[in-house]
Amino acid sequence: MPNFREFEPQELRFVSSFKAGELVAEVGTTLLSEGNHSAHLYTLLSGWAFRYKTLQDGRRQILNYLLPGDLIGLQGSIIGELQHSVEALSPLVLCVFQRDRLSELFRNHPGLGFDITWLAAQEERMLDDHLLSLGRRTALERAAYLIAFLYQRAASVGLAASSTLYVPITQMHVADTLGLSIVHTNKTLRKLADRSLIRWLDRSCEVLDVDGLMDLAGWDGLPERRRPLI
Amino acid sequence: MPNFREFEPQELRFVSSFKAGELVAEVGTTLLSEGNHSAHLYTLLSGWAFRYKTLQDGRRQILNYLLPGDLIGLQGSIIGELQHSVEALSPLVLCVFQRDRLSELFRNHPGLGFDITWLAAQEERMLDDHLLSLGRRTALERAAYLIAFLYQRAASVGLAASSTLYVPITQMHVADTLGLSIVHTNKTLRKLADRSLIRWLDRSCEVLDVDGLMDLAGWDGLPERRRPLI
DNA sequence: CGAGAACTTGACCCAGGTCAATGCCGGTGG
DNA sequence: CCACCGGCATTGACCTGGGTCAAGTTCTCG
C-alpha cells in the first residue's frame, strides 16, 4: 500500500503488542454509541463505516465516513467520553487496541504519538470541508462534493477500480450526510445522473466523472500525501 | 485559572524555550490564510478569533471560534498545509511557537504531545456538534445552539461574568456560522430576544437564559473538564 | 406469493432566501 | 458645528429551494 508510511522496527513491535486482537463486524452493527464511557479504540482494517450523532427526536446527522486505516474511537480514548456513534456499512475487520496503553504509546514511541495527532488533524480537516458544504453549498453542489469526496477517499486506499466506485450506502445515508430529505436527495442525485456525472445503483454509486463533480462543487480535493497507519 | 492542568517543571522549561515570542494583533487581522504553507503555530493568550473557509465565489463558512488557550494553526504544522483562514474578532495576544520543534516536543515531552492530541480531539468534537447543527437543526435551534455554545466556551475560560456574555461578533458572523442569510439571521435572533433568551447589542450579545437556549437547541453542553494549556 | 427495503415521482407547502428601503450610530472632513 | 458616509441592524414584500405527503415501482428474500 504505497500511501502508508513505513514503521520503524521497534514501532512495529510495539504496535503488535498494543494490538489486543481482531474483531469482525456485520453490516449494520453499531460499534460504538454516543455517551459510552468505556469505549474501545480500533483501527479499521477493511470495510466501510460511518460516524453519526442524533438529536433527541431522532434527526440524524452523519459526520464522516471511516475507511481502512482510520482510527475509530479516538475521541473516547483521549477525552474519556464518546459523543458520537459508529455503524458498519459493510462487513468490517477491525484491529482492537488496549486503550489504557495509549499514554505508554506517547511516552515510548513519539513517532506514533505524532501519527495519531496527524490522523486527528486530518479528520479535523475533513470536518472543515463538510461544514463548508453543509453551510454554504446548494443541494446539488453538496451531493457532488460528497461523492467526489468518497471517491477520493476510496481511491486513496485502493478501493476505486479505474473511475468506478462502489460505495455501500443508501440514499438515506446520503440524505443524512447532506442534511437533506430523502426525497430531495433522490431528485438531486437524479440531476447528477442526468448530467452523466454519476450512475446510482441500488445501494451504491458509480462515479462517471470525478472532475466534473469536483468542478461543480468547487472543491479542490484531498491533498494526496503519505499517511501513517497504526 | 482552575480549568487548566498544571505543568511538570521540565515541561514548563521546554514550553518557555519553545516559545519564540509574543504577537499582538488588531481586530480584523487575518492571522493565517487558506493555502499557506509556511504557517506559524500559536497559542491564543487573550482575545477572540475565528476560523473560516470560503468558496471561490465568496460564500464564507465560519468553522469555529478560538478562545484563550486554543492552538492556532495546528493543522498547518502537522499536515503541512493550512486549508482555512483565521481572523481576529478582538485585539489578540498570541504566543508564537517554533513550528519545526514540534517533533522535539513529541519526542521529549510525551505529556505535551498527548495534550496537543487532546486539543485536536476536543476541536473535532466541537466540529461534530456544529455539523449536527448545520445539517439537522432549524434556524432557531441553530442560533440557540451557537449562542449557548459560545457562552459555555467563554465561561470555561472565565470570560462570562454572571450570566452575561459579550461576544465581539456581528450578525454577519452569526449568519456565516449558521449557514443562513443575514436577513434571516436577524429575524431569528429577534425571535430569541422576543422569548427573552438573549438580548442583542450592537456587535455583541447578552445571554439571559443559557438553560433556555440549550433546551431549545436540544444540546447538552460541553463536558466540563480539566484542560491542558500549551 | 407476500412483505419489506430502497428508490421514484408528482403535487403542494413553507422555511428561509432575495430585494429593497430605513434607521442608527460613529467617524471624518469642512 | 454640521453634512456626509459607511457599517451594522431592522423590517416588509415577495420568491424559491427544498420539505412533506402520498403513491407507486422494483427488487430481494423468506
Side-chain angles (χ1 to χ4, degrees):
Chain A
M1 217 15 77
N3 291 335
F4 294 102
R5 82 162 176 91
E6 307 285 337
F7 278 126
E8 302 294 323
Q10 83 278 16
E11 286 177 350
L12 191 58
R13 240 175 288 127
F14 176 79
V15 169
S16 306
S17 81
F18 187 33
K19 181 169 176 171
E22 283 196 2
L23 184 71
V24 172
E26 285 311 300
V27 179
T29 310
T30 300
L31 287 171
L32 297 171
S33 60
E34 215 170 324
N36 214 318
H37 267 274
S38 60
H40 271 286
L41 179 62
Y42 307 103
T43 292
L44 185 50
L45 297 178
S46 78
W48 291 76
F50 65 95
R51 303 197 299 123
Y52 66 96
K53 284 178 79 94
T54 49
L55 255 18
Q56 293 92 326
D57 63 7
R59 283 175 280 176
R60 178 176 76 165
Q61 177 63 41
I62 293 181
L63 306 167
N64 203 5
Y65 292 85
L66 298 159
L67 278 86
D70 288 345
L71 284 177
I72 299 184
L74 183 63
Q75 275 186 42
S77 303
I78 298 260
I79 311 190
E81 191 185 347
L82 201 65
Q83 301 270 22
H84 61 258
S85 308
V86 177
E87 191 179 316
L89 279 170
S90 71
L92 305 183
V93 180
L94 301 148
C95 172
V96 185
F97 289 126
Q98 301 163 256
R99 174 165 94 118
D100 48 325
R101 290 182 60 201
L102 200 58
S103 62
E104 185 188 334
L105 179 151
F106 273 87
R107 209 171 327 112
N108 300 332
H109 301 278
L112 297 176
F114 189 85
D115 285 348
I116 287 185
T117 310
W118 192 96
L119 287 168
Q122 193 67 26
E123 175 74 11
E124 187 181 313
R125 199 212 306 254
M126 289 188 267
L127 296 180
D128 286 352
D129 272 332
H130 295 342
L131 271 169
L132 174 60
S133 211
L134 283 188
R136 291 305 183 197
R137 281 195 249 253
T138 65
L140 194 66
E141 292 166 345
R142 268 184 243 183
Y145 160 72
L146 175 63
I147 293 172
F149 169 79
L150 290 174
Y151 176 81
Q152 286 222 346
R153 293 217 57 200
S156 79
V157 291
L159 285 179
S162 70
S163 65
T164 305
L165 158 79
Y166 295 96
V167 214
I169 55 177
T170 67
Q171 295 190 357
M172 184 67 167
H173 293 114
V174 176
D176 283 347
T177 309
L178 303 182
L180 300 171
S181 68
I182 325 170
V183 174
H184 198 67
T185 298
N186 180 284
K187 289 171 182 170
T188 303
L189 290 174
R190 172 137 311 283
K191 280 185 198 163
L192 290 182
D194 289 345
R195 299 190 185 193
S196 22
L197 295 169
I198 65 165
R199 192 176 305 149
W200 189 268
L201 316 164
D202 235 41
R203 224 154 306 204
S204 79
C205 166
E206 184 179 342
V207 176
L208 302 176
D209 178 2
V210 203
D211 294 333
L213 290 172
M214 290 175 57
D215 198 48
L216 174 54
W219 184 58
D220 293 333
L222 297 165
E224 206 37 80
R225 230 170 262 276
R226 211 83 187 289
R227 59 175 290 177
L229 171 67
I230 294 177
Chain B
M1 216 19 75
N3 291 336
F4 293 103
R5 82 163 177 91
E6 306 286 337
F7 278 127
E8 303 293 325
Q10 82 277 17
E11 286 178 349
L12 191 58
R13 238 175 291 125
F14 176 78
V15 169
S16 306
S17 81
F18 187 33
K19 181 168 175 172
E22 284 197 1
L23 184 71
V24 173
E26 285 311 300
V27 179
T29 310
T30 300
L31 287 171
L32 297 171
S33 60
E34 217 170 324
N36 213 319
H37 267 273
S38 60
H40 271 286
L41 178 61
Y42 307 103
T43 292
L44 184 49
L45 297 179
S46 78
W48 290 76
F50 65 95
R51 300 197 303 123
Y52 66 96
K53 282 178 80 93
T54 50
L55 255 19
Q56 293 91 325
D57 63 7
R59 283 175 280 176
R60 179 177 75 166
Q61 178 62 41
I62 293 181
L63 306 167
N64 202 4
Y65 292 85
L66 298 158
L67 278 85
D70 288 345
L71 284 178
I72 299 185
L74 184 63
Q75 275 186 42
S77 303
I78 298 261
I79 311 189
E81 190 185 348
L82 201 65
Q83 300 271 24
H84 61 258
S85 309
V86 177
E87 190 180 315
L89 279 171
S90 71
L92 305 182
V93 181
L94 301 149
C95 172
V96 185
F97 290 126
Q98 300 164 255
R99 174 165 94 118
D100 48 324
R101 290 183 59 201
L102 199 58
S103 62
E104 184 188 333
L105 180 151
F106 272 87
R107 208 171 328 112
N108 300 333
H109 301 277
L112 297 176
F114 189 85
D115 285 348
I116 287 185
T117 311
W118 192 96
L119 288 168
Q122 192 68 24
E123 175 74 11
E124 186 180 313
R125 191 201 319 239
M126 290 187 268
L127 296 180
D128 286 353
D129 272 332
H130 295 340
L131 271 170
L132 174 60
S133 211
L134 283 188
R136 291 305 184 198
R137 281 195 249 253
T138 65
L140 194 66
E141 292 167 345
R142 268 184 244 183
Y145 160 72
L146 175 63
I147 293 173
F149 169 78
L150 290 174
Y151 177 80
Q152 287 222 346
R153 292 217 59 202
S156 78
V157 290
L159 285 179
S162 71
S163 66
T164 305
L165 157 79
Y166 295 95
V167 214
I169 55 177
T170 67
Q171 295 190 358
M172 184 68 168
H173 293 114
V174 176
D176 283 347
T177 310
L178 302 182
L180 300 172
S181 68
I182 326 170
V183 174
H184 198 66
T185 298
N186 180 285
K187 289 171 182 170
T188 303
L189 290 174
R190 172 137 311 283
K191 280 186 198 162
L192 291 181
D194 289 345
R195 299 191 185 191
S196 21
L197 295 169
I198 65 164
R199 192 177 306 150
W200 188 268
L201 314 164
D202 235 40
R203 225 156 303 206
S204 79
C205 166
E206 184 179 342
V207 176
L208 302 176
D209 179 2
V210 203
D211 294 334
L213 290 172
M214 289 174 59
D215 198 49
L216 174 55
W219 184 57
D220 293 333
L222 297 165
E224 208 34 82
R225 229 169 261 277
R226 211 85 188 288
R227 59 175 290 180
L229 172 67
I230 293 177

